Amino acid sequence: MTTDVTEITVIGDDDTGLVARVTSLLFERGINIEDLDQAVRDGVFRMYLAVDTSEMVCTEETLREDLHELGEDLGLDVQVRFPADRETQQIAVLGTKESHCLEALFEAWANDELGADIGVVIGNHDDLQPLAEHYGVPFHDIGDEKGQQNEERLLEVLAEYDADLIVLARYMRILSPNVVFRYEDRIINIHPSLLPSFPGAEAYRQAVEEGVRVAGVTAHYVTTDLDQGPIITQRAFDVPDDADVDDMKRRGQPLEADALLEAVKLHLNGDVSVHRGRTTVRENGTGYQLGLPTEIDEVTPDRPVDGIGSVVADDG
C-alpha cells in the first residue's frame, strides 16, 4: 500500500547484534524509526522497520547503498522501499492448476478495477500458462516434474518483477520463512474453509466429513503459521444434506474468487492494516463485503436477546 513511510526489510541467518547495527546506521543518518518488528523462525532472522526519511542527512540512493553494504558485511539481505517506489504497485500471482481465482484477478485487472498491474504469474506446474499468455502476462514455472517449488528461483522472479503484493490464487505449496519474512503482510492467500476451522489440505473434504451445515472460504495474510494469518475477508454458503466434495467445490470456488479479489482490493487501496495479528479496516474502507452480504440482515432474527426478562420484571 502507498504510505509516507519508507519500509526496510532485513532477512538472514540469526546472529547477535543485528538489530543494533541496522538501527545505529539509521540513527547516524537522521532517520526516525516509527515501527520495528523482528522475529526468528527456523533459524531465519527477519526485521521490518517503518521509518521516516523526510529529514535524513543523505540521499535515498546513498541510504540504499549503505544498507546494502551493511547487509553484505553481515550476511543479510536488505530491501528498501521508498514511498515513490510503490506508486505503481506490482502484483505477482502464484497458482498451481485451478484457474478460477486467477481468472477473476485478470478480469478485474482488464477492467481497471485493481489500480495495480499484474506483472507476472508464477506456477509450480504449467497449467495456467495459457491463461497468463492470453492476457499478455509473463509466466514462470518454478516447479519440478512433481510440482516441488524451487524457492530460490521464486525469490529471483519476485525480485525481477519487483513484486509489491503476492497473491496465492490456489497455490498448493507452503512458503518457507525465507519467503514469508521478505514479504510480511504482503502475501494474501485464499483458503477453502471458514478459518480457523479446517486448516491445511483437503478443507472441503474435512467439512463434508464433519457434517457442517455452513461452510465457506477465507482470504488472509500469510504468516509462518499455516493458515493462521490475519483474516481479511470471508464468504459462506449452505451445505446440502447430500453434498459431496465436488458439490462443495462448485459452491465454494466462485466465492473463493470473490473473497480473494475483495481482499486484494482492500490491500491495494490501503484500506486494511494489521495490528497484533488482526486486521482492521480503516474508516474509508466502506463499500467492501468483508463477510456475509448485507441482505442477510433481513432474514436474520434480532430477538430474543438476553436481558429482556429483567425489563419485563421491572415493568411488573
Side-chain angles (χ1 to χ4, degrees), residues 8-290:
I8 301 172
T9 305
V10 182
I11 305 289
D13 294 335
D14 188 28
D15 200 357
T16 58
L18 299 180
V19 175
R21 292 289 299 275
V22 175
T23 55
S24 295
L25 184 150
L26 298 176
F27 174 77
E28 291 167 359
R29 286 151 184 77
I31 296 169
N32 182 51
I33 298 173
E34 297 188 355
D35 186 29
L36 186 154
D37 184 55
Q38 60 175 315
V40 177
R41 179 60 64 90
D42 298 336
V44 179
F45 168 81
R46 184 269 301 166
M47 180 169 60
Y48 167 85
L49 304 100
V51 303
D52 180 3
T53 55
S54 61
E55 298 183 6
M56 67 179 178
V57 295
C58 65
T59 65
E60 291 184 355
E61 187 59 33
T62 297
L63 176 62
R64 198 188 300 271
E65 291 176 356
D66 290 348
L67 284 169
H68 286 168
E69 288 179 5
L70 178 62
E72 291 179 0
D73 183 43
L74 298 176
L76 301 172
D77 179 19
V78 182
Q79 302 174 7
V80 186
R81 300 171 73 233
F82 293 101
D85 296 337
R86 304 189 299 276
E87 289 179 355
T88 302
Q89 300 180 84
Q90 295 291 321
I91 303 172
V93 184
L94 276 61
T96 296
K97 294 184 176 182
E98 297 179 22
S99 64
H100 54 286
C101 288
L102 178 59
E103 182 179 353
L105 291 166
F106 272 142
E107 288 179 353
W109 179 50
N111 292 327
D112 294 324
E113 297 174 3
L114 289 183
D117 288 333
I118 298 177
V120 64
V121 176
I122 304 170
N124 60 317
H125 292 281
D126 62 3
D127 297 60
L128 298 177
Q129 184 169 355
L131 183 57
E133 291 178 346
H134 174 75
Y135 283 91
V137 174
F139 180 89
H140 292 265
D141 184 356
I142 61 162
D144 61 17
E145 64 278 1
K146 296 182 179 180
Q148 295 296 327
Q149 65 190 3
N150 182 333
E151 279 205 343
E152 289 187 6
R153 179 57 183 152
L154 171 60
L155 289 172
E156 289 175 358
V157 175
L158 293 174
E160 177 184 350
Y161 289 90
D162 197 20
D164 294 291
L165 174 66
I166 301 170
V167 180
L168 307 187
R170 300 297 289 135
Y171 184 63
M172 308 306 290
R173 283 288 178 259
I174 297 173
L175 301 178
S176 77
N178 197 34
V179 176
V180 175
F181 278 167
R182 296 171 190 270
Y183 296 91
E184 192 84 4
D185 296 335
R186 291 194 285 139
I187 307 175
I188 296 177
N189 181 47
I190 184 68
H191 183 75
S193 80
L194 289 173
L195 293 174
S197 297
F198 313 132
E202 300 290 343
Y204 286 139
R205 184 177 301 279
Q206 293 180 62
V208 170
E209 292 173 351
E210 292 295 331
V212 301
R213 294 299 184 183
V214 175
V217 304
T218 303
H220 65 97
Y221 285 111
V222 173
T223 66
T224 53
D225 297 314
L226 179 64
D227 294 330
Q228 296 183 42
I231 292 170
I232 309 171
T233 58
Q234 293 186 303
R235 300 287 187 272
F237 60 92
D238 282 328
V239 180
D241 187 58
D242 58 350
D244 59 18
V245 174
D246 288 337
D247 294 327
M248 298 282 281
K249 287 183 178 180
R250 280 191 292 270
R251 288 171 176 259
Q253 285 182 346
L255 296 180
E256 292 173 22
D258 189 57
L260 180 62
L261 181 58
E262 195 82 329
V264 168
K265 290 179 178 179
L266 274 159
H267 178 93
L268 292 173
N269 293 335
D271 290 332
V272 64
S273 59
V274 180
H275 181 64
R276 295 183 177 179
R278 294 187 61 179
T279 56
T280 300
V281 177
R282 298 194 171 95
E283 291 181 0
N284 58 328
T286 58
Y288 297 100
Q289 183 183 334
L290 303 180

